[in-house]
Amino acid sequence: MQWKPATVAQIQSLLVNWYKKTRRQLPWRETRDPYAIWVSEVMLQQTQVATVIPYYDRFMARFPTVTDLAGADREQVLKLWEGLGYYARARNLHKAAGVVVDQFHGQVPADEKLFKSLPGVGNYIAAAVLSIAFGLPLAVVDGNVKRLLSRLCAMDAPVNRSSSHKQFQAMADRLLDQSCPAIFNQAMMELGALVCIPGTPGCSVCPLFDHCIARKNGCIAHHPRRIKKKPIPTRHIAVGVVKKGSTLLITRRKSEGLLGGLWEFPGGKVEKNETAPDACIREIKEETGLEVTIASHLTRVKHAYTHFKIEMDVYMCRYVAGEVHLNGPVDHCWITPSEIRKYPFPGANLKFIPLLIKRLGLSHPH
């Protein structure tokens, strides 16, 4: 749709004034440091604000500058990210920090092309960081903004179809207040997060009440449009806690890919017509070369990823024979239960580690 310039100016004014009065006090809003803002935006991708705050505070306390992050061991970075999910974000941020130190003298580049050349920096991160930290007139489009635009402009483009992004970006560009892009972008995201929420939005307190076309047309319930996706498949996984003397075996995943660089208890997929205990024994043999027997069933864990879910049966296993020869994992370690806290684990492992610690008769290491 085509907004008249006067209408656009009115929307901008209403939104900016609303944000100045009602914005949440968040730690990354208390700084103009581009590195700190960058860290927050990376963490906020796919993750709610309330979850991010404690992670952000710990991360910035440990790595207060981009130079500190670049000089850190990746395992330290992953450990601080543990439980936040989407670990490629952490790996890319760590890599990007190294590039900033090596190529840009430790200064986050204010140039869009240079900033987007860094690992993990796409259109959203670039627009958010460069507009908020440097005042560049780049419109942000995230899930909150898409939902807001979908209703405000009664857009029929499905918000979860990648080909629709250009339409949302064009509309965001049209509405952007170029005189204060930092405030405007944050206002759009804030309005989507607090007022124009999924389900039933708070239209009665919305500053754009008089301009919302979906509300005027009585079709709020039809926006945003979404394409129905196929059901997410569930995979059955069997994992073994291999005990040898007073030590437990953990293995490290390859650097890239899903959960790259994290440590875990070995195991894998239960094949068709295979029992979970048999799969556990087979997977440990295939991955590590060790022969084990099942001592007991510890628990069943359910965990969801973006494109699939898992049901994980966890077994206590006795070491029988063999030396570790890895096939798949890139490293292994025999650790005492008290050392578990030193290593970064995936979320599914974190769900059963407290029970494991209890079973082994120790207090929780976290």
Side-chain angles (χ1 to χ4, degrees):
M1 70 163 298
Q2 292 296 318
W3 295 99
K4 293 179 181 178
T7 304
V8 170
Q10 196 173 13
I11 289 172
Q12 291 170 347
S13 177
L14 288 167
L15 200 51
V16 167
N17 289 335
W18 171 83
Y19 178 75
K20 287 178 177 178
K21 291 176 184 174
T22 61
R23 75 188 189 106
R24 289 171 290 180
Q25 297 297 312
L26 302 173
W28 46 86
R29 289 181 178 166
E30 308 305 316
T31 180
R32 294 297 298 273
D33 175 11
Y35 165 68
I37 293 166
W38 181 14
V39 170
S40 74
E41 290 296 345
V42 173
M43 287 187 170
L44 286 164
Q45 282 189 303
Q46 310 282 346
T47 311
Q48 294 183 341
V49 167
T51 301
V52 166
I53 290 173
Y55 279 93
Y56 175 83
D57 288 340
R58 287 193 295 267
F59 198 90
M60 293 306 297
R62 180 64 184 81
F63 309 120
T65 70
V66 70
T67 305
D68 293 318
L69 178 57
D73 180 74
R74 189 182 61 180
E75 196 156 295
Q76 291 179 304
V77 177
L78 290 174
K79 181 63 184 175
L80 275 177
W81 207 274
E82 185 183 58
L84 198 55
Y86 301 96
Y87 293 92
R89 296 180 297 175
R91 297 196 303 269
N92 283 330
L93 184 61
H94 186 219
K95 281 184 201 169
V99 176
V100 169
V101 169
D102 292 342
Q103 297 183 19
F104 304 117
H105 311 290
Q107 301 297 312
V108 177
D111 178 85
E112 182 183 6
K113 187 176 180 182
L114 290 178
F115 190 50
K116 286 172 77 169
S117 73
L118 298 173
V121 178
N123 291 334
Y124 167 75
I125 290 291
V129 175
L130 297 180
S131 67
I132 296 169
F134 299 111
L136 268 63
L138 301 170
V140 162
V141 175
D142 69 352
N144 287 323
V145 172
K146 281 184 179 180
R147 184 171 58 255
L148 171 58
L149 290 174
S150 178
R151 290 166 175 163
L152 180 65
C153 309
M155 295 175 69
D156 288 327
V159 292
N160 61 338
R161 179 187 281 166
S162 56
S163 60
S164 300
H165 186 82
K166 285 184 179 179
Q167 295 176 57
F168 287 103
Q169 187 67 59
M171 187 58 69
D173 292 343
R174 176 77 183 91
L175 291 175
L176 179 67
D177 186 342
Q178 302 213 2
S179 67
C180 55
I183 295 176
F184 182 84
N185 276 335
Q186 290 179 92
M188 288 283 283
M189 293 187 284
E190 191 84 333
L191 190 62
L194 301 183
V195 177
C196 199
I197 57 175
T200 305
C203 297
S204 62
V205 295
C206 179
L208 305 183
F209 180 89
D210 291 329
H211 295 283
C212 182
I213 295 170
R215 187 199 61 77
K216 287 180 182 177
N217 294 344
C219 59
I220 283 283
H222 301 294
H223 295 279
R225 279 195 61 218
R226 303 184 73 87
I227 300 170
K228 279 193 176 180
K229 293 187 175 180
K230 293 179 182 177
I232 295 176
T234 298
R235 301 176 185 174
H236 190 188
I237 306 292
V239 164
V241 178
V242 181
K243 197 166 186 290
K244 182 183 180 185
S246 60
T247 63
L248 310 173
L249 178 66
I250 58 173
T251 59
R252 187 157 61 85
R253 297 175 70 99
K254 293 176 182 177
S255 296
E256 304 304 325
L258 181 69
L259 310 175
L262 297 180
W263 292 83
E264 64 185 0
F265 292 93
K269 189 177 178 182
V270 179
E271 300 294 348
K272 192 175 180 181
N273 299 323
E274 184 180 36
T275 67
D278 286 346
C280 181
I281 292 169
R282 174 185 56 76
E283 283 284 346
I284 290 171
K285 177 71 172 175
E286 290 175 2
E287 283 187 15
T288 71
L290 300 183
E291 292 181 25
V292 302
T293 58
I294 302 293
S296 62
H297 183 257
L298 180 66
T299 188
R300 170 172 277 199
V301 166
K302 294 183 178 182
H303 194 73
Y305 296 95
T306 306
H307 301 297
F308 64 94
K309 299 176 183 177
I310 63 168
E311 290 185 355
M312 176 189 285
D313 278 306
V314 185
Y315 295 93
M316 301 299 294
C317 299
R318 296 188 193 93
Y319 166 81
V320 175
E323 296 292 325
V324 174
H325 297 287
L326 296 175
N327 175 28
V330 296
D331 200 1
H332 80 284
C333 197
W334 290 97
I335 62 170
T336 62
S338 62
E339 292 175 316
I340 286 177
R341 69 181 183 277
K342 297 179 182 178
Y343 297 86
F345 285 90
N349 278 220
L350 294 177
K351 287 181 176 178
F352 70 77
I353 283 175
L355 182 60
L356 171 62
I357 295 299
K358 187 176 179 182
R359 175 68 65 91
L360 296 171
L362 301 172
S363 60
H364 196 287
H366 293 285

